[in-house]
């Protein structure tokens, strides 16, 4: 399924961290995800792209069960996602998620946003949660905004806070759903820089994005989706230079032309 | 390039001080009262009305009024006759509560202040201890009012006057908010049974006049109780008023919940917060904040509705006023009596309204609330 050279790249970590087999999902009568199979190893960085409405968001939202799937299997870190609430909770603790619209909690300060889940989900002490939060706020380069409210920050800063907030739960994998598409061009870079740093630190990442520069820089694999199916997946080099399918070629020509 | 820079600097220095007439009291008057011809006309008409009404009212209430005397015949002045206050203020405040025991509701009222302020004001002094005290307060107040623990027992049908309005109003306010929150959440529940129960409750209670609910309360409530329990009439009123207000509050809060974007729910879910915690820590603080005007509006309505206790034979402050107006000694003094009663309600309701404005403004200072 995955070409040989990718596996060589991560010889130290071969365990499949996320294992999706024959996933199908419907919204009422609409078949959004069709027979998706995908396995992600620890430390792998995967970029998912595809035209609007192809089911990219839905796919990554299934991984932490924000969307419910109907058939097929999703295993995260050996835990199967089913209706069992306990399993869902343990998976959510391992999986961080960053949204296109930031979704920071506007009634809490930046620091409180970051300490909320560690305190209430991980039962970390207030002092320790604060320490961890400051550490990650420094990593995303905004420790000085800790006492501000999200509404007082720029879009780029808010998205970096959102990344820090997810990292505070010390997740094993991070999901990103178009983290830069709601941002003005001059702020995209500051967010991508943080994500590159994160990738370099060895985090497992699944990123839905159309930032192809970022994809070729950090991705181990690029997945192209269309109409609810994975059409093609390959290393960035092969994906950009020698796409297999006509659909991918068309998509790339559209996206790279501007 | 250089000249453009100086230009910018120049225009900045010019704008540093606003035009003189737009500041100070003259500026305010010009801007708010005489900004246009219609505005000026309205200002003149309003000033004319105030100038005719205020002196007359002031003269009636204070200058030409009389504040002592045995009965209405001893009032000879052209203004208001306040002589009855001296004789009757106890009844207006405490109803038929025995005079020798009236210190008890008075103490309960004074203790109410430290019990309530630490919830209304953040960072109130001794906040933690006082909040513990406020949790004990309902028990303390009940013992003081009803008796027990060495105090002689006073049957609740002796309760009356403004004390009764406060008891019913405050209990209703304190109880209806959490119940309203639960009904609002229940109405959005994924479990059909809970959802339909909540919808049924809200729509039934909202669809009936409160006065009808009070009339039927002695038929309705025993259905839900064991046969040997009889409910005290004050308790019955509190239950009905609470249920009534809770139905309205539930709808106000449901509106607030609907205004919160789904991304907030999703972010809370994705973090692994439980349903209870995500509501308590993320969703409700925001929904309640949006709903403050509607909630306070409901509370103000609830407080005024406490006068309806008259239909089940209790005498609140309005009931006492009605009784006095038809008393031969004081007959014909309805203006004075009702103005007096109105003042009590106005002070309480206006305070609630100001508090809600103050709270909204203080929350706004925490930065723009956008998603
Ligand atoms: N809650 C929902 N109910 C019904 N249909 C939905 C729902 N959410 C998404 N869809 C539909 O499912 C399809 C896939 O949506 P999805 O958001 O996964 O696409 P996407 O690839 O992320 O697109 P985009 O690039 O625009 O974000 C779309 O056609 C969308 O209209
Ligand atoms: Mg999407």
């Amino acid at each position: 399924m995955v070409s040989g050279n990718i596996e060589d790249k991560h010889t130290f970590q071969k365990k499949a961290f996320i294992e999706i087999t024959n996933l199908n999902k419907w919204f009422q009568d609409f078949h959004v995800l069709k027979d998706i199979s995908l396995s992600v190893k620890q430390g792998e960085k995967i970029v998912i792209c595809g035209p609007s409405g192809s089911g990219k968001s839905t796919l990554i939202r299934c991984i932490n069960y924000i969307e419910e799937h109907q058939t097929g299997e999703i295993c995260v870190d050996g835990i199967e996602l089913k209706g069992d609430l306990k399993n869902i909770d343990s998976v959510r603790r391992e999986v961080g998620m960053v949204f296109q619209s930031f979704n920071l909690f506007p009634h809490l300060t930046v620091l409180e946003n970051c300490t909320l889940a560690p305190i209430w989900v991980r039962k970390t002490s207030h002092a320790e949660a604060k320490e961890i939060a400051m550490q990650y706020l420094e990593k995303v380069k905004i420790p000085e905004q800790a006492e501000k409210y999200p509404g007082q920050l720029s879009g780029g800063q808010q998205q970096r806070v959102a990344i820090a907030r997810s990292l505070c739960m010390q997740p094993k994998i991070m999901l990103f759903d178009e983290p830069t598409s709601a941002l003005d061009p001059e702020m995209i870079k500051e967010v991508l820089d943080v994500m590159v740093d994160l990738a370099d630190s060895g985090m497992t990442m699944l990123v839905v994005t159309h930032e192809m520069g970022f994809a070729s820089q950090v991705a181990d694999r690029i997945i192209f989706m269309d109409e609810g199916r994975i059409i093609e997946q390959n290393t960035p080099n092969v994906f950009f230079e020698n796409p297999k399918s006509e659909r991918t070629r068309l998509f790339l020509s559209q996206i790279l032309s501007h | 390039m250089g000249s453009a820079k100086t230009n910018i600097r120049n225009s900045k220095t010019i704008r540093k001080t606003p035009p003189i007439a737009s500041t100070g009291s003259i500026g305010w008057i010009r801007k708010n009262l005489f900004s246009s011809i219609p505005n000026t006309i309205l200002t003149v008409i309003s000033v004319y009305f105030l100038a005719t009404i205020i002196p007359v009212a002031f003269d009636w209430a204070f200058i030409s009024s009389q504040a002592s005397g045995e009965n209405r015949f001893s009032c000879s002045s052209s203004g208001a006759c306040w002589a009855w206050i001296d004789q009757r203020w106890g009844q207006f405040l405490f109803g038929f509560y025995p005079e020798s025991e009236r210190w008890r509701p008075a103490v309960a009222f004074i203790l109410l202040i430290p019990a309530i302020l630490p919830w209304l004001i953040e960072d109130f002094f001794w906040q933690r201890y006082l909040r513990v005290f406020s949790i004990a307060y309902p028990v303390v107040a009940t013992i003081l009012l009803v008796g027990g623990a060495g105090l002689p027992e006073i049957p609740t049908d002796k309760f009356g006057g403004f004390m009764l309005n406060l008891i019913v109003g405050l209990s209703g306010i304190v109880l209806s908010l959490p119940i309203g929150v639960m009904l609002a959440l229940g109405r959005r529940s994924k479990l059909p049974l809970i959802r339909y129960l909540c919808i049924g409750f809200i729509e039934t209670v909202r669809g009936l006049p409160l006065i009808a609910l009070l009339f039927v309360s002695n038929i309705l409530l025993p259905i839900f109780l064991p046969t040997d329990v009889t409910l005290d009439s004050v308790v019955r009123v509190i239950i009905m008023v609470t249920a009534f207000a809770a139905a309205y509050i539930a709808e106000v809060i449901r509106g607030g919940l609907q205004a919160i974007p789904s991304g907030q729910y999703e972010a809370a879910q994705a973090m692994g917060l439980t349903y209870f915690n995500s509501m308590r820590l993320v969703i409700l603080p925001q929904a309640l904040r949006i709903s403050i005007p509607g909630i306070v509006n409901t509370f103000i309505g609830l407080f005024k509705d406490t006068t309806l206790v008259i239909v089940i034979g209790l005498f609140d402050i309005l009931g006492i006023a009605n009784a006095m107006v038809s008393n031969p000694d004081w007959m014909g003094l309805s203006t004075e009596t009702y103005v007096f009663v109105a003042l009590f309600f106005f002070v309480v309701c206006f305070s609630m309204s100001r508090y809600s404005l103050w709270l909204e403004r203080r929350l706004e200072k925490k930065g723009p609330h956008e998603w």
Side-chain angles (χ1 to χ4, degrees):
Chain A
M1 187 172 68
V2 182
S3 62
N5 59 349
I6 293 174
E7 288 192 340
D8 293 344
K9 227 174 155 180
H10 290 280
T11 39
F12 59 99
Q13 280 288 7
K14 287 208 171 173
K15 203 177 82 197
F17 189 72
I18 300 178
E19 192 71 64
I20 301 175
T21 30
N22 296 325
L23 177 72
N24 279 285
K25 174 165 177 63
W26 286 263
F27 284 120
Q28 285 88 43
D29 293 338
F30 179 54
H31 198 172
V32 239
L33 297 178
K34 300 166 186 162
D35 277 323
I36 302 268
S37 290
L38 173 68
S39 86
V40 181
K41 294 184 187 65
Q42 216 160 58
E44 245 190 318
K45 290 104 185 79
I46 292 179
V47 163
I48 303 172
C49 61
S52 181
S54 55
K56 310 175 296 288
S57 301
T58 310
L59 172 61
I60 69 164
R61 288 153 64 91
C62 280
I63 294 173
N64 60 1
Y65 214 72
I66 287 184
E67 296 286 359
E68 198 177 336
H69 58 276
Q70 277 88 30
T71 67
E73 224 177 68
I74 303 178
C75 266
V76 181
D77 201 14
I79 306 164
E80 204 199 328
L81 268 183
K82 272 224 200 90
D84 189 348
L85 284 176
K86 242 181 154 181
N87 283 1
I88 294 167
D89 281 345
S90 11
V91 166
R92 284 181 181 159
R93 239 170 286 169
E94 311 295 338
V95 179
M97 186 159 195
V98 174
F99 302 84
Q100 180 176 353
S101 50
F102 326 138
N103 295 349
L104 292 176
F105 303 138
H107 62 300
L108 301 177
T109 64
V110 165
L111 188 64
E112 288 165 342
N113 263 280
C114 292
T115 55
L116 187 76
I119 290 172
W120 292 102
V121 180
R122 283 224 188 281
K123 316 284 183 209
T124 317
S125 72
H126 283 247
E128 197 187 335
K130 189 176 167 188
E131 202 174 298
I132 297 170
M134 288 314 294
Q135 199 180 311
Y136 283 112
L137 285 173
E138 250 153 60
K139 259 197 187 140
V140 302
K141 304 178 192 81
I142 32 174
E144 72 283 358
Q145 312 283 7
E147 298 303 330
K148 287 202 182 159
Y149 286 88
Q152 299 165 322
L153 305 183
S154 74
Q157 290 173 321
Q158 290 193 44
Q159 193 61 297
R160 284 184 285 150
V161 172
I163 294 173
R165 176 177 76 172
S166 289
L167 292 174
C168 284
M169 279 293 280
Q170 303 180 308
K172 294 190 179 149
I173 176 168
M174 287 284 286
L175 308 174
F176 293 84
D177 190 1
E178 307 204 33
T180 56
S181 16
L183 295 176
D184 292 337
E186 69 266 29
M187 296 172 187
I188 291 178
K189 190 176 174 304
E190 63 187 57
V191 172
L192 290 180
D193 284 348
V194 165
M195 290 170 62
V196 171
D197 286 348
L198 187 62
D200 290 343
S201 74
M203 175 65 75
T204 314
M205 291 162 70
L206 236 78
V207 186
V208 176
T209 184
H210 293 157
E211 293 293 331
M212 289 305 147
F214 172 82
S216 56
Q217 191 184 346
V218 307
D220 297 314
R221 236 192 305 164
I222 300 184
I223 288 174
F224 175 70
M225 284 183 71
D226 194 16
E227 292 178 350
R229 283 180 207 285
I230 294 181
I231 303 293
E232 167 157 12
Q233 48 179 319
N234 229 318
T235 56
N237 282 341
V238 183
F239 184 83
F240 288 123
E241 266 139 49
N242 204 359
K244 274 183 275 180
S245 84
E246 193 51 44
R247 297 256 269 295
T248 318
R249 228 165 282 160
L250 187 67
F251 175 76
L252 282 176
S253 70
Q254 281 167 351
I255 208 166
L256 296 175
S257 66
H258 58 254
Chain B
M1 199 57 207
S3 72
K5 258 187 188 166
T6 45
N7 270 346
I8 289 166
R9 201 177 306 138
N10 280 345
S11 66
K12 263 189 190 159
T13 44
I14 289 167
R15 276 201 206 118
K16 225 178 212 166
T17 51
I20 295 150
S22 70
T23 58
S25 51
I26 295 179
W28 187 90
I29 288 172
R30 220 184 253 179
K31 200 173 117 213
N32 291 288
L33 301 180
F34 300 100
S35 62
S36 63
I37 293 174
N39 197 346
T40 308
I41 294 173
L42 284 178
T43 303
V44 171
I45 295 176
S46 312
V47 168
Y48 172 76
F49 268 104
L50 291 175
T52 33
I53 289 168
I54 290 178
V56 174
F58 191 81
D59 179 69
W60 176 80
F62 300 106
I63 297 172
S64 318
S65 68
Q66 188 174 331
S68 62
E70 285 297 299
N71 54 37
R72 71 189 160 110
F73 305 109
S74 46
C75 276
S76 52
S77 63
S78 60
C81 176
W82 300 117
W84 51 274
I85 291 183
D86 188 40
Q87 282 188 20
R88 298 293 184 107
W89 66 270
Q91 262 190 24
F92 275 82
L93 291 184
F94 303 109
F96 309 111
Y97 210 85
E99 265 177 60
S100 59
E101 302 292 329
R102 280 183 185 165
W103 62 271
R104 284 159 51 177
V107 169
F109 178 74
I110 291 166
L111 287 180
L112 177 66
I113 295 164
I116 223 170
L117 282 183
W119 297 96
L120 298 182
I121 302 168
E122 228 177 299
D123 306 321
F124 195 69
F125 65 99
W126 300 339
Q127 185 161 31
R128 272 217 188 148
Y129 307 102
L130 287 179
R131 282 194 177 179
V132 173
F133 168 67
S134 25
I135 290 162
Y137 178 77
V139 179
V140 175
T142 309
I143 292 175
L144 275 169
L145 293 171
V146 182
L151 293 168
E153 222 163 278
I154 311 286
T156 54
D157 55 11
K158 298 271 185 253
F159 287 21
F162 199 58
M163 169 190 135
L164 185 61
N165 297 96
L166 278 181
I167 293 171
V168 175
L170 280 173
S171 315
I173 285 172
V174 170
L175 296 171
S176 65
L177 186 60
I179 297 175
V181 167
M182 283 191 280
L183 285 171
L185 292 176
R187 191 165 186 167
R188 291 161 59 92
S189 166
K190 283 195 195 110
L191 307 171
L193 181 69
I194 293 182
R195 190 169 63 241
Y196 288 124
L197 274 178
C198 291
I199 293 176
F201 179 88
I202 292 170
E203 296 303 342
T204 312
V205 172
R206 249 187 353 156
L208 297 170
L210 176 56
I211 199 164
L213 286 177
L214 290 174
F215 273 133
V216 299
S217 64
N218 54 347
I219 308 166
L220 199 63
L221 287 178
I223 299 175
F224 303 101
L225 291 169
T227 42
D228 52 339
V229 178
T230 50
L231 270 186
D232 179 272
S233 53
V234 172
V235 174
R236 224 164 57 196
V237 170
I238 290 176
I239 292 176
M240 285 328 222
V241 166
T242 301
F244 190 74
Y248 279 87
I249 296 225
E251 287 299 283
V252 169
I253 292 175
R254 190 167 67 96
L257 289 170
Q258 267 166 357
I260 293 171
S262 58
Q264 294 286 311
Y265 293 88
E266 286 164 8
Q269 265 187 337
M271 293 177 152
L273 287 173
T274 58
Y275 172 81
F276 180 76
N277 275 338
S278 64
M279 288 301 140
R280 186 174 67 93
L281 300 165
V282 176
I283 305 299
L284 281 175
Q286 301 183 53
L288 288 175
R289 179 178 162 175
I290 305 172
S291 319
I292 290 172
I295 292 174
V296 174
N297 199 23
T298 312
F299 284 166
I300 289 176
L302 179 158
F303 190 72
K304 290 185 294 187
D305 282 348
T306 58
T307 51
L308 290 175
V309 296
I310 201 162
V311 305
I312 59 167
L314 293 169
F315 284 83
D316 75 315
I317 190 169
L318 191 61
I320 299 278
N322 282 337
M324 200 192 80
V325 169
S326 50
N327 176 312
D329 275 353
W330 300 107
M331 224 185 310
L333 296 182
S334 49
T335 313
E336 285 88 338
T337 320
Y338 291 129
V339 163
F340 181 75
V341 170
L343 274 178
F344 275 87
F345 283 99
F346 183 76
V347 166
V348 173
C349 295
F350 189 64
S351 312
M352 282 199 254
S353 152
R354 297 311 296 181
Y355 172 74
S356 103
L357 284 180
W358 175 82
L359 185 65
E360 278 172 59
R361 222 169 284 140
R362 208 199 45 173
L363 289 172
E364 245 156 54
K365 279 203 192 119
K366 290 188 170 182
H369 196 279
E370 289 162 3
W371 293 290

